[in-house]
PDB file of all heavy atoms in Angstrom:
ATOM      1  N   ILE B   1       7.644  -9.392   3.399  1.00  0.00           N
ATOM      2  CA  ILE B   1       6.771  -8.880   2.356  1.00  0.00           C
ATOM      3  C   ILE B   1       5.956  -7.758   2.988  1.00  0.00           C
ATOM      4  O   ILE B   1       5.356  -7.961   4.053  1.00  0.00           O
ATOM      5  CB  ILE B   1       5.822  -9.972   1.821  1.00  0.00           C
ATOM      6  CG1 ILE B   1       6.616 -11.126   1.195  1.00  0.00           C
ATOM      7  CG2 ILE B   1       4.823  -9.402   0.817  1.00  0.00           C
ATOM      8  CD1 ILE B   1       5.778 -12.355   0.904  1.00  0.00           C
ATOM      9  N   VAL B   2       5.945  -6.589   2.382  1.00  0.00           N
ATOM     10  CA  VAL B   2       5.119  -5.483   2.858  1.00  0.00           C
ATOM     11  C   VAL B   2       3.892  -5.390   1.959  1.00  0.00           C
ATOM     12  O   VAL B   2       4.015  -5.230   0.738  1.00  0.00           O
ATOM     13  CB  VAL B   2       5.885  -4.154   2.858  1.00  0.00           C
ATOM     14  CG1 VAL B   2       4.960  -3.003   3.269  1.00  0.00           C
ATOM     15  CG2 VAL B   2       7.084  -4.229   3.796  1.00  0.00           C
ATOM     16  N   LEU B   3       2.719  -5.512   2.552  1.00  0.00           N
ATOM     17  CA  LEU B   3       1.461  -5.409   1.820  1.00  0.00           C
ATOM     18  C   LEU B   3       0.729  -4.150   2.278  1.00  0.00           C
ATOM     19  O   LEU B   3       0.339  -4.024   3.442  1.00  0.00           O
ATOM     20  CB  LEU B   3       0.576  -6.630   2.067  1.00  0.00           C
ATOM     21  CG  LEU B   3      -0.845  -6.541   1.492  1.00  0.00           C
ATOM     22  CD1 LEU B   3      -0.810  -6.393  -0.028  1.00  0.00           C
ATOM     23  CD2 LEU B   3      -1.664  -7.772   1.890  1.00  0.00           C
ATOM     24  N   LEU B   4       0.565  -3.204   1.364  1.00  0.00           N
ATOM     25  CA  LEU B   4      -0.229  -2.006   1.619  1.00  0.00           C
ATOM     26  C   LEU B   4      -1.670  -2.342   1.262  1.00  0.00           C
ATOM     27  O   LEU B   4      -2.039  -2.412   0.089  1.00  0.00           O
ATOM     28  CB  LEU B   4       0.299  -0.841   0.776  1.00  0.00           C
ATOM     29  CG  LEU B   4       1.762  -0.477   1.053  1.00  0.00           C
ATOM     30  CD1 LEU B   4       2.311   0.445  -0.018  1.00  0.00           C
ATOM     31  CD2 LEU B   4       1.902   0.153   2.432  1.00  0.00           C
ATOM     32  N   ASN B   5      -2.455  -2.575   2.288  1.00  0.00           N
ATOM     33  CA  ASN B   5      -3.805  -3.125   2.132  1.00  0.00           C
ATOM     34  C   ASN B   5      -4.853  -2.003   2.090  1.00  0.00           C
ATOM     35  O   ASN B   5      -4.564  -0.841   2.351  1.00  0.00           O
ATOM     36  CB  ASN B   5      -4.067  -4.080   3.307  1.00  0.00           C
ATOM     37  CG  ASN B   5      -5.339  -4.870   3.137  1.00  0.00           C
ATOM     38  OD1 ASN B   5      -5.756  -5.173   2.011  1.00  0.00           O
ATOM     39  ND2 ASN B   5      -5.976  -5.207   4.241  1.00  0.00           N
ATOM     40  N   LYS B   6      -6.062  -2.399   1.755  1.00  0.00           N
ATOM     41  CA  LYS B   6      -7.260  -1.531   1.786  1.00  0.00           C
ATOM     42  C   LYS B   6      -7.220  -0.398   0.767  1.00  0.00           C
ATOM     43  O   LYS B   6      -7.801   0.672   0.985  1.00  0.00           O
ATOM     44  CB  LYS B   6      -7.487  -0.964   3.187  1.00  0.00           C
ATOM     45  CG  LYS B   6      -7.730  -2.042   4.250  1.00  0.00           C
ATOM     46  CD  LYS B   6      -8.163  -1.432   5.567  1.00  0.00           C
ATOM     47  CE  LYS B   6      -8.465  -2.512   6.597  1.00  0.00           C
ATOM     48  NZ  LYS B   6      -8.983  -1.953   7.868  1.00  0.00           N
ATOM     49  N   LEU B   7      -6.526  -0.617  -0.349  1.00  0.00           N
ATOM     50  CA  LEU B   7      -6.483   0.433  -1.355  1.00  0.00           C
ATOM     51  C   LEU B   7      -7.824   0.619  -2.057  1.00  0.00           C
ATOM     52  O   LEU B   7      -7.993   1.587  -2.811  1.00  0.00           O
ATOM     53  CB  LEU B   7      -5.376   0.154  -2.381  1.00  0.00           C
ATOM     54  CG  LEU B   7      -4.051   0.898  -2.087  1.00  0.00           C
ATOM     55  CD1 LEU B   7      -3.454   0.434  -0.777  1.00  0.00           C
ATOM     56  CD2 LEU B   7      -3.076   0.738  -3.227  1.00  0.00           C
ATOM     57  N   ASP B   8      -8.776  -0.292  -1.800  1.00  0.00           N
ATOM     58  CA  ASP B   8     -10.128  -0.083  -2.315  1.00  0.00           C
ATOM     59  C   ASP B   8     -10.833   1.037  -1.551  1.00  0.00           C
ATOM     60  O   ASP B   8     -11.878   1.537  -1.992  1.00  0.00           O
ATOM     61  CB  ASP B   8     -10.936  -1.374  -2.229  1.00  0.00           C
ATOM     62  CG  ASP B   8     -10.908  -1.999  -0.836  1.00  0.00           C
ATOM     63  OD1 ASP B   8      -9.889  -1.844  -0.134  1.00  0.00           O
ATOM     64  OD2 ASP B   8     -11.901  -2.661  -0.453  1.00  0.00           O
ATOM     65  N   LEU B   9     -10.253   1.463  -0.404  1.00  0.00           N
ATOM     66  CA  LEU B   9     -10.852   2.515   0.413  1.00  0.00           C
ATOM     67  C   LEU B   9     -10.095   3.839   0.321  1.00  0.00           C
ATOM     68  O   LEU B   9     -10.526   4.848   0.883  1.00  0.00           O
ATOM     69  CB  LEU B   9     -10.900   2.078   1.887  1.00  0.00           C
ATOM     70  CG  LEU B   9     -11.651   0.773   2.177  1.00  0.00           C
ATOM     71  CD1 LEU B   9     -11.569   0.437   3.662  1.00  0.00           C
ATOM     72  CD2 LEU B   9     -13.101   0.874   1.720  1.00  0.00           C
ATOM     73  N   GLY B  10      -8.953   3.858  -0.347  1.00  0.00           N
ATOM     74  CA  GLY B  10      -8.131   5.061  -0.449  1.00  0.00           C
ATOM     75  C   GLY B  10      -6.675   4.692  -0.568  1.00  0.00           C
ATOM     76  O   GLY B  10      -6.308   3.508  -0.472  1.00  0.00           O
ATOM     77  N   ASP B  11      -5.801   5.685  -0.773  1.00  0.00           N
ATOM     78  CA  ASP B  11      -4.378   5.373  -0.966  1.00  0.00           C
ATOM     79  C   ASP B  11      -3.445   6.366  -0.299  1.00  0.00           C
ATOM     80  O   ASP B  11      -2.274   6.500  -0.675  1.00  0.00           O
ATOM     81  CB  ASP B  11      -4.059   5.273  -2.452  1.00  0.00           C
ATOM     82  CG  ASP B  11      -4.227   6.594  -3.188  1.00  0.00           C
ATOM     83  OD1 ASP B  11      -4.754   7.546  -2.584  1.00  0.00           O
ATOM     84  OD2 ASP B  11      -3.836   6.664  -4.366  1.00  0.00           O
ATOM     85  N   ASP B  12      -3.916   7.090   0.722  1.00  0.00           N
ATOM     86  CA  ASP B  12      -3.057   8.085   1.386  1.00  0.00           C
ATOM     87  C   ASP B  12      -1.798   7.438   1.968  1.00  0.00           C
ATOM     88  O   ASP B  12      -0.678   7.943   1.795  1.00  0.00           O
ATOM     89  CB  ASP B  12      -3.830   8.789   2.505  1.00  0.00           C
ATOM     90  CG  ASP B  12      -4.890   9.740   1.972  1.00  0.00           C
ATOM     91  OD1 ASP B  12      -4.877   9.987   0.748  1.00  0.00           O
ATOM     92  OD2 ASP B  12      -5.719  10.213   2.770  1.00  0.00           O
ATOM     93  N   GLY B  13      -1.973   6.328   2.680  1.00  0.00           N
ATOM     94  CA  GLY B  13      -0.819   5.649   3.282  1.00  0.00           C
ATOM     95  C   GLY B  13       0.100   5.056   2.241  1.00  0.00           C
ATOM     96  O   GLY B  13       1.334   5.071   2.388  1.00  0.00           O
ATOM     97  N   ALA B  14      -0.465   4.511   1.154  1.00  0.00           N
ATOM     98  CA  ALA B  14       0.359   3.913   0.102  1.00  0.00           C
ATOM     99  C   ALA B  14       1.237   4.966  -0.564  1.00  0.00           C
ATOM    100  O   ALA B  14       2.430   4.731  -0.818  1.00  0.00           O
ATOM    101  CB  ALA B  14      -0.535   3.234  -0.928  1.00  0.00           C
ATOM    102  N   ARG B  15       0.668   6.143  -0.859  1.00  0.00           N
ATOM    103  CA  ARG B  15       1.464   7.207  -1.480  1.00  0.00           C
ATOM    104  C   ARG B  15       2.551   7.699  -0.529  1.00  0.00           C
ATOM    105  O   ARG B  15       3.677   7.979  -0.946  1.00  0.00           O
ATOM    106  CB  ARG B  15       0.546   8.354  -1.914  1.00  0.00           C
ATOM    107  CG  ARG B  15      -0.280   8.003  -3.149  1.00  0.00           C
ATOM    108  CD  ARG B  15      -1.035   9.189  -3.730  1.00  0.00           C
ATOM    109  NE  ARG B  15      -2.184   9.533  -2.896  1.00  0.00           N
ATOM    110  CZ  ARG B  15      -2.272  10.620  -2.149  1.00  0.00           C
ATOM    111  NH1 ARG B  15      -1.258  11.472  -2.091  1.00  0.00           N
ATOM    112  NH2 ARG B  15      -3.357  10.867  -1.434  1.00  0.00           N
ATOM    113  N   GLU B  16       2.222   7.771   0.762  1.00  0.00           N
ATOM    114  CA  GLU B  16       3.233   8.177   1.745  1.00  0.00           C
ATOM    115  C   GLU B  16       4.368   7.167   1.813  1.00  0.00           C
ATOM    116  O   GLU B  16       5.554   7.527   1.864  1.00  0.00           O
ATOM    117  CB  GLU B  16       2.572   8.339   3.118  1.00  0.00           C
ATOM    118  CG  GLU B  16       3.529   8.736   4.232  1.00  0.00           C
ATOM    119  CD  GLU B  16       2.842   8.781   5.596  1.00  0.00           C
ATOM    120  OE1 GLU B  16       1.590   8.812   5.645  1.00  0.00           O
ATOM    121  OE2 GLU B  16       3.568   8.766   6.609  1.00  0.00           O
ATOM    122  N   PHE B  17       4.018   5.874   1.816  1.00  0.00           N
ATOM    123  CA  PHE B  17       5.043   4.826   1.908  1.00  0.00           C
ATOM    124  C   PHE B  17       5.946   4.848   0.672  1.00  0.00           C
ATOM    125  O   PHE B  17       7.157   4.659   0.783  1.00  0.00           O
ATOM    126  CB  PHE B  17       4.379   3.463   2.054  1.00  0.00           C
ATOM    127  CG  PHE B  17       5.348   2.319   2.184  1.00  0.00           C
ATOM    128  CD1 PHE B  17       5.974   2.042   3.389  1.00  0.00           C
ATOM    129  CD2 PHE B  17       5.668   1.532   1.093  1.00  0.00           C
ATOM    130  CE1 PHE B  17       6.872   1.000   3.517  1.00  0.00           C
ATOM    131  CE2 PHE B  17       6.567   0.482   1.203  1.00  0.00           C
ATOM    132  CZ  PHE B  17       7.176   0.220   2.421  1.00  0.00           C
ATOM    133  N   LYS B  18       5.370   5.085  -0.497  1.00  0.00           N
ATOM    134  CA  LYS B  18       6.162   5.069  -1.725  1.00  0.00           C
ATOM    135  C   LYS B  18       7.190   6.185  -1.755  1.00  0.00           C
ATOM    136  O   LYS B  18       8.179   6.109  -2.496  1.00  0.00           O
ATOM    137  CB  LYS B  18       5.243   5.149  -2.932  1.00  0.00           C
ATOM    138  CG  LYS B  18       4.446   3.865  -3.167  1.00  0.00           C
ATOM    139  CD  LYS B  18       3.497   3.985  -4.350  1.00  0.00           C
ATOM    140  CE  LYS B  18       2.712   2.684  -4.541  1.00  0.00           C
ATOM    141  NZ  LYS B  18       1.740   2.774  -5.661  1.00  0.00           N
ATOM    142  N   ARG B  19       6.973   7.221  -0.972  1.00  0.00           N
ATOM    143  CA  ARG B  19       7.958   8.310  -0.902  1.00  0.00           C
ATOM    144  C   ARG B  19       9.074   8.013   0.106  1.00  0.00           C
ATOM    145  O   ARG B  19      10.048   8.756   0.194  1.00  0.00           O
ATOM    146  CB  ARG B  19       7.264   9.613  -0.519  1.00  0.00           C
ATOM    147  CG  ARG B  19       6.293  10.134  -1.567  1.00  0.00           C
ATOM    148  CD  ARG B  19       5.880  11.564  -1.266  1.00  0.00           C
ATOM    149  NE  ARG B  19       5.154  11.686  -0.008  1.00  0.00           N
ATOM    150  CZ  ARG B  19       3.825  11.604   0.095  1.00  0.00           C
ATOM    151  NH1 ARG B  19       3.083  11.409  -0.993  1.00  0.00           N
ATOM    152  NH2 ARG B  19       3.233  11.733   1.275  1.00  0.00           N
ATOM    153  N   SER B  20       8.935   6.904   0.874  1.00  0.00           N
ATOM    154  CA  SER B  20       9.910   6.575   1.913  1.00  0.00           C
ATOM    155  C   SER B  20      11.070   5.777   1.349  1.00  0.00           C
ATOM    156  O   SER B  20      11.039   5.312   0.212  1.00  0.00           O
ATOM    157  CB  SER B  20       9.240   5.779   3.039  1.00  0.00           C
ATOM    158  OG  SER B  20       8.970   4.451   2.605  1.00  0.00           O
ATOM    159  N   SER B  21      12.097   5.608   2.187  1.00  0.00           N
ATOM    160  CA  SER B  21      13.289   4.852   1.760  1.00  0.00           C
ATOM    161  C   SER B  21      13.043   3.353   1.714  1.00  0.00           C
ATOM    162  O   SER B  21      13.869   2.601   1.205  1.00  0.00           O
ATOM    163  CB  SER B  21      14.451   5.153   2.714  1.00  0.00           C
ATOM    164  OG  SER B  21      14.105   4.770   4.043  1.00  0.00           O
ATOM    165  N   GLN B  22      11.909   2.874   2.258  1.00  0.00           N
ATOM    166  CA  GLN B  22      11.629   1.432   2.306  1.00  0.00           C
ATOM    167  C   GLN B  22      10.666   0.990   1.204  1.00  0.00           C
ATOM    168  O   GLN B  22      10.145  -0.114   1.237  1.00  0.00           O
ATOM    169  CB  GLN B  22      11.012   1.074   3.664  1.00  0.00           C
ATOM    170  CG  GLN B  22      11.874   1.433   4.854  1.00  0.00           C
ATOM    171  CD  GLN B  22      11.259   0.945   6.149  1.00  0.00           C
ATOM    172  OE1 GLN B  22      10.989  -0.238   6.326  1.00  0.00           O
ATOM    173  NE2 GLN B  22      11.006   1.859   7.065  1.00  0.00           N
ATOM    174  N   ALA B  23      10.426   1.852   0.227  1.00  0.00           N
ATOM    175  CA  ALA B  23       9.343   1.615  -0.718  1.00  0.00           C
ATOM    176  C   ALA B  23       9.591   0.460  -1.676  1.00  0.00           C
ATOM    177  O   ALA B  23       8.650  -0.091  -2.244  1.00  0.00           O
ATOM    178  CB  ALA B  23       9.068   2.887  -1.511  1.00  0.00           C
ATOM    179  N   ASN B  24      10.832   0.065  -1.900  1.00  0.00           N
ATOM    180  CA  ASN B  24      11.123  -0.963  -2.894  1.00  0.00           C
ATOM    181  C   ASN B  24      10.448  -2.293  -2.557  1.00  0.00           C
ATOM    182  O   ASN B  24      10.567  -2.803  -1.442  1.00  0.00           O
ATOM    183  CB  ASN B  24      12.639  -1.190  -3.004  1.00  0.00           C
ATOM    184  CG  ASN B  24      13.340   0.005  -3.620  1.00  0.00           C
ATOM    185  OD1 ASN B  24      12.705   0.796  -4.314  1.00  0.00           O
ATOM    186  ND2 ASN B  24      14.635   0.131  -3.371  1.00  0.00           N
ATOM    187  N   GLY B  25       9.763  -2.852  -3.559  1.00  0.00           N
ATOM    188  CA  GLY B  25       9.250  -4.211  -3.432  1.00  0.00           C
ATOM    189  C   GLY B  25       7.945  -4.368  -2.701  1.00  0.00           C
ATOM    190  O   GLY B  25       7.471  -5.494  -2.529  1.00  0.00           O
ATOM    191  N   ALA B  26       7.317  -3.289  -2.260  1.00  0.00           N
ATOM    192  CA  ALA B  26       6.053  -3.432  -1.545  1.00  0.00           C
ATOM    193  C   ALA B  26       4.931  -3.798  -2.508  1.00  0.00           C
ATOM    194  O   ALA B  26       4.936  -3.401  -3.678  1.00  0.00           O
ATOM    195  CB  ALA B  26       5.719  -2.130  -0.818  1.00  0.00           C
ATOM    196  N   LEU B  27       3.966  -4.558  -1.992  1.00  0.00           N
ATOM    197  CA  LEU B  27       2.772  -4.899  -2.752  1.00  0.00           C
ATOM    198  C   LEU B  27       1.649  -3.977  -2.318  1.00  0.00           C
ATOM    199  O   LEU B  27       1.570  -3.592  -1.142  1.00  0.00           O
ATOM    200  CB  LEU B  27       2.370  -6.349  -2.512  1.00  0.00           C
ATOM    201  CG  LEU B  27       3.430  -7.419  -2.809  1.00  0.00           C
ATOM    202  CD1 LEU B  27       2.893  -8.791  -2.434  1.00  0.00           C
ATOM    203  CD2 LEU B  27       3.845  -7.382  -4.266  1.00  0.00           C
ATOM    204  N   ALA B  28       0.759  -3.625  -3.232  1.00  0.00           N
ATOM    205  CA  ALA B  28      -0.350  -2.735  -2.911  1.00  0.00           C
ATOM    206  C   ALA B  28      -1.627  -3.318  -3.479  1.00  0.00           C
ATOM    207  O   ALA B  28      -1.635  -3.863  -4.593  1.00  0.00           O
ATOM    208  CB  ALA B  28      -0.099  -1.343  -3.486  1.00  0.00           C
ATOM    209  N   GLY B  29      -2.713  -3.227  -2.721  1.00  0.00           N
ATOM    210  CA  GLY B  29      -3.990  -3.746  -3.188  1.00  0.00           C
ATOM    211  C   GLY B  29      -4.938  -3.938  -2.032  1.00  0.00           C
ATOM    212  O   GLY B  29      -4.931  -3.168  -1.065  1.00  0.00           O
ATOM    213  N   SER B  30      -5.734  -4.997  -2.123  1.00  0.00           N
ATOM    214  CA  SER B  30      -6.713  -5.307  -1.078  1.00  0.00           C
ATOM    215  C   SER B  30      -6.814  -6.811  -0.932  1.00  0.00           C
ATOM    216  O   SER B  30      -6.854  -7.542  -1.933  1.00  0.00           O
ATOM    217  CB  SER B  30      -8.085  -4.732  -1.446  1.00  0.00           C
ATOM    218  OG  SER B  30      -9.086  -5.229  -0.567  1.00  0.00           O
ATOM    219  N   VAL B  31      -6.855  -7.277   0.329  1.00  0.00           N
ATOM    220  CA  VAL B  31      -6.969  -8.712   0.556  1.00  0.00           C
ATOM    221  C   VAL B  31      -8.322  -9.244   0.089  1.00  0.00           C
ATOM    222  O   VAL B  31      -8.520 -10.461   0.006  1.00  0.00           O
ATOM    223  CB  VAL B  31      -6.746  -9.067   2.041  1.00  0.00           C
ATOM    224  CG1 VAL B  31      -5.326  -8.747   2.453  1.00  0.00           C
ATOM    225  CG2 VAL B  31      -7.754  -8.364   2.927  1.00  0.00           C
ATOM    226  N   ARG B  32      -9.247  -8.346  -0.237  1.00  0.00           N
ATOM    227  CA  ARG B  32     -10.527  -8.777  -0.793  1.00  0.00           C
ATOM    228  C   ARG B  32     -10.426  -9.055  -2.292  1.00  0.00           C
ATOM    229  O   ARG B  32     -11.370  -9.581  -2.887  1.00  0.00           O
ATOM    230  CB  ARG B  32     -11.588  -7.704  -0.543  1.00  0.00           C
ATOM    231  CG  ARG B  32     -11.867  -7.442   0.936  1.00  0.00           C
ATOM    232  CD  ARG B  32     -12.875  -6.330   1.111  1.00  0.00           C
ATOM    233  NE  ARG B  32     -13.161  -6.080   2.521  1.00  0.00           N
ATOM    234  CZ  ARG B  32     -13.983  -5.138   2.952  1.00  0.00           C
ATOM    235  NH1 ARG B  32     -14.615  -4.356   2.083  1.00  0.00           N
ATOM    236  NH2 ARG B  32     -14.182  -4.968   4.248  1.00  0.00           N
ATOM    237  N   ASP B  33      -9.317  -8.674  -2.889  1.00  0.00           N
ATOM    238  CA  ASP B  33      -9.099  -8.812  -4.325  1.00  0.00           C
ATOM    239  C   ASP B  33      -8.232 -10.049  -4.591  1.00  0.00           C
ATOM    240  O   ASP B  33      -7.124 -10.161  -4.062  1.00  0.00           O
ATOM    241  CB  ASP B  33      -8.412  -7.549  -4.848  1.00  0.00           C
ATOM    242  CG  ASP B  33      -8.163  -7.594  -6.352  1.00  0.00           C
ATOM    243  OD1 ASP B  33      -8.660  -8.524  -7.015  1.00  0.00           O
ATOM    244  OD2 ASP B  33      -7.458  -6.694  -6.854  1.00  0.00           O
ATOM    245  N   ALA B  34      -8.725 -10.957  -5.413  1.00  0.00           N
ATOM    246  CA  ALA B  34      -7.980 -12.192  -5.696  1.00  0.00           C
ATOM    247  C   ALA B  34      -6.626 -11.897  -6.314  1.00  0.00           C
ATOM    248  O   ALA B  34      -5.651 -12.631  -6.071  1.00  0.00           O
ATOM    249  CB  ALA B  34      -8.800 -13.097  -6.619  1.00  0.00           C
TER     250      ALA B  34
END
């Protein structure tokens, strides 16, 4: 499971990852968020 964390602080890494070949199925958000 790939979790793109800390999106409450920004999303530069998440947008970069989504453009990659491994982007399918990743989760995005923050571990502080239920």
Side-chain angles (χ1 to χ4, degrees):
I1 298 168
V2 176
L3 172 61
L4 300 167
N5 189 30
K6 299 189 177 184
L7 263 64
D8 52 329
L9 303 178
D11 65 351
D12 288 350
R15 286 189 286 109
E16 179 184 344
F17 181 79
K18 289 178 180 178
R19 294 193 297 269
S20 73
S21 60
Q22 302 185 57
N24 291 338
L27 304 177
S30 170
V31 295
R32 297 177 179 178
D33 181 9

